[in-house]
């Protein structure tokens, strides 16, 4: 699941001050790592118990896509300034 790219794009568009501050402070990579870990844990929880491919990705593509959408919709949100 690719989380970092859509998260960065959304942050740049929806929270440019936050984006710029994380860049300036040098904390962007740390922030991205934390959010990505949270996203992958949520995806794992949502797909727990599903049959998996040898790669570990869920065999049911529709269910996996739905889980990915849920993760993105839940975790890509930014505080209002």
């Amino acid at each position: 699941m690719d989380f970092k790219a859509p998260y960065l794009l959304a942050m740049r568009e929806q929270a440019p001050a936050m984006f710029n501050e994380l860049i300036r402070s040098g904390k962007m990579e740390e922030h991205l790592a934390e959010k990505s870990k949270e996203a992958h844990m949520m995806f794992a929880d949502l797909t727990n118990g599903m049959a998996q491919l040898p790669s570990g990705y869920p065999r049911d593509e529709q269910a996996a896509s739905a889980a990915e959408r849920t993760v993105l919709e839940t975790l890509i949100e930014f505080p209002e300034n």
Side-chain angles (χ1 to χ4, degrees):
M1 171 180 175
D2 180 27
F3 179 77
K4 288 181 181 181
Y7 183 80
L8 270 175
L9 180 63
M11 184 192 312
R12 188 175 11 207
E13 292 175 357
Q14 298 173 26
M18 179 182 176
F19 179 87
N20 291 331
E21 177 58 30
L22 286 168
I23 293 289
R24 270 194 298 272
S25 68
K27 295 183 179 181
M28 180 63 83
E29 285 303 316
E30 179 183 346
H31 178 75
L32 284 176
E34 289 174 11
K35 292 301 283 187
S36 183
K37 181 179 178 183
E38 184 179 357
H40 284 88
M41 289 174 59
M42 184 177 189
F43 181 79
D45 287 344
L46 291 170
T47 59
N48 186 28
M50 291 183 186
Q52 296 183 343
L53 298 169
S55 66
Y57 199 76
R59 191 173 297 279
D60 183 339
E61 290 183 33
Q62 285 183 316
S65 291
E68 284 184 9
R69 278 191 307 277
T70 298
V71 169
L72 293 172
E73 290 169 359
T74 302
L75 296 182
I76 296 182
E77 61 181 13
F78 303 97
E80 303 253 347
N81 290 336

